[in-house]
Amino acid sequence: MDKLLKDLPLFVEVARRKSFSHAAEMLDMPVSTVSRRIAALERELGLPLFLRNSRNVELTESGLDFYNRCEFILNEAELAREQVVQKVQGTAGKVRIAMRPDSYHTHMAEALLSFARKWPDVNLEVYLSDRRVDLLTEPFDLEIRVGPLPDSSLKVRKLARVYPDLYASPEFLEKYSTPVHPQDLSRVPCVVFADASLVTPRNSHIWLFRKDGQTEEVRVKQAHLVNHLSVATDFVLAGLGVGWLARPMVEYHRKRGELVQLLPDWTLEEGVDISIVMASSELPRRVRLLVEHLVELSREMPHLPGIEPSNR
């Protein structure tokens, strides 16, 4: 029985990763050791747990049944361990969080810094990437996502909704006439942001404007295409086109007269949601503290133009 209990975490990790090598890396063990112990477990049970091929491994039907029971047991054991550890150590430990670089620089930097100052015994591991991580198979506690969320079993806490604004530099407006209607943008160079979730679900160079129930669909004159808001900001500041920018990121430049807001009575689409996404609602205390910290700060976001808090 002792040997079986020791091998269960190895089996569950291989099943989650669908890879002996990835599981071994996470467990900090040689691949040969993981493979040998899984083979011994299969012999002890008298049935195969995995279908192996040259690319990956898949659970057999019996392996899937065994995995579901083992995962529940290990989750309960981990939760019990967390509760005991929390009583002794409080909030000490790691919180691993993933997000896009633009999300960090636009909305999350000060929130994470203030949390780190408030809870110095929590070790934040911040991973910035343009790709969405897989919270079910990758070692992250939560992710900050911007834009629409696909239906899934993931847990979501919405923080706020951001409404980007249209900007141009004074130098640009000296060269081109100031747009007074959305359709004017079809005749001037525009800096297009490549992430469709922040522009429009249909096409990044088709912008849909709203005003008092009225809509205007504009196929803009794409001069430059970028995939980071910071790059879009640089291009607009340099006078290379009109662009949708996150107001918290550019408020400093607007106050200095380096950017001019255009068409202030029009909004883009319905706004963009900022959300915390988690694999489970059963969280260690240190992770719950970070989530609540971000939710609390999101209620203060309305002092920044273009942001409204979520009621959820």
Side-chain angles (χ1 to χ4, degrees):
M1 178 61 70
D2 288 347
K3 186 175 183 301
L4 174 63
L5 292 176
K6 291 180 181 179
D7 288 340
L8 290 188
L10 278 67
F11 164 69
V12 169
E13 198 65 36
V14 174
R16 285 174 175 170
R17 309 291 169 179
K18 297 184 178 181
S19 167
F20 281 84
S21 59
H22 290 168
E25 182 178 354
M26 287 299 301
L27 295 165
D28 196 23
M29 298 174 63
V31 177
S32 58
T33 300
V34 175
S35 181
R36 173 175 52 79
R37 288 175 59 176
I38 293 298
L41 178 61
E42 290 176 316
R43 288 195 299 271
E44 182 178 349
L45 295 174
L47 50 86
L49 298 173
F50 294 103
L51 298 173
R52 301 164 173 81
N53 58 48
S54 59
R55 293 186 176 181
N56 57 16
V57 294
E58 297 286 345
L59 287 165
T60 63
E61 183 176 353
S62 298
L64 180 59
D65 291 339
F66 190 58
Y67 168 74
N68 289 333
R69 298 296 297 272
C70 292
E71 186 183 43
F72 175 80
I73 292 170
L74 291 179
N75 285 340
E76 286 296 305
E78 177 63 19
L79 184 58
R81 187 194 70 82
E82 284 283 350
Q83 290 173 346
V84 171
V85 169
Q86 290 299 335
K87 289 182 180 179
V88 178
Q89 299 182 359
T91 58
K94 295 179 180 179
V95 177
R96 293 163 290 193
I97 179 171
M99 70 188 75
R100 288 175 54 101
D102 287 338
S103 299
Y104 172 78
H105 293 296
T106 306
H107 309 293
M108 291 293 117
E110 183 53 41
L112 292 180
L113 292 175
S114 62
F115 178 84
R117 288 190 289 264
K118 184 177 181 180
W119 301 98
D121 55 343
V122 178
N123 304 118
L124 294 180
E125 293 187 0
V126 183
Y127 174 78
L128 301 183
S129 174
D130 288 323
R131 74 176 182 88
R132 288 187 171 180
V133 301
D134 187 339
L135 291 168
L136 297 177
T137 61
E138 296 185 71
F140 293 98
D141 297 297
L142 54 92
E143 182 179 17
I144 303 298
R145 291 187 180 177
V146 178
L149 300 173
D151 292 335
S152 72
S153 60
L154 298 175
K155 308 302 179 184
V156 177
R157 289 288 298 272
K158 288 188 177 180
L159 292 176
R161 176 162 289 189
V162 179
Y163 295 86
D165 293 315
L166 197 65
Y167 293 93
S169 70
E171 293 77 14
F172 179 90
L173 297 178
E174 289 179 3
K175 185 176 180 180
Y176 298 91
S177 59
T178 300
V180 295
H181 188 274
Q183 293 299 336
D184 295 338
L185 297 173
S186 63
R187 296 184 289 274
V188 299
C190 292
V191 178
V192 174
F193 188 69
D195 187 337
S197 68
L198 295 182
V199 180
T200 169
R202 293 164 300 161
N203 205 314
S204 59
H205 64 274
I206 297 177
W207 293 351
L208 183 63
F209 293 80
R210 296 185 184 275
K211 175 185 176 183
D212 301 329
Q214 177 185 359
T215 61
E216 285 286 340
E217 184 177 283
V218 182
R219 181 179 293 273
V220 301
K221 182 179 179 181
Q222 178 179 305
H224 303 284
L225 181 68
V226 301
N227 72 337
H228 275 273
L229 284 175
S230 57
V231 179
T233 301
D234 289 341
F235 273 58
V236 174
L237 280 169
L240 297 174
V242 175
W244 288 101
L245 304 175
R247 204 182 294 189
M249 182 180 286
V250 302
E251 189 66 2
Y252 169 81
H253 299 291
R254 187 192 66 80
K255 290 180 178 179
R256 287 168 56 92
E258 297 168 346
L259 288 174
V260 178
Q261 183 181 352
L262 305 177
L263 306 179
D265 295 332
W266 293 85
T267 60
L268 177 67
E269 280 283 301
E270 299 290 344
V272 181
D273 287 330
I274 304 175
S275 307
I276 304 174
V277 183
M278 301 152 285
S280 171
S281 57
E282 296 293 335
L283 302 171
R285 181 168 179 253
R286 59 184 177 274
V287 181
R288 294 199 308 271
L289 286 172
L290 176 58
V291 171
E292 294 307 318
H293 180 81
L294 297 178
V295 170
E296 183 62 29
L297 287 187
S298 73
R299 299 191 180 106
E300 301 175 9
M301 283 184 177
H303 79 278
L304 294 173
I307 298 181
E308 67 179 31
S310 172
N311 293 324
R312 296 180 58 180

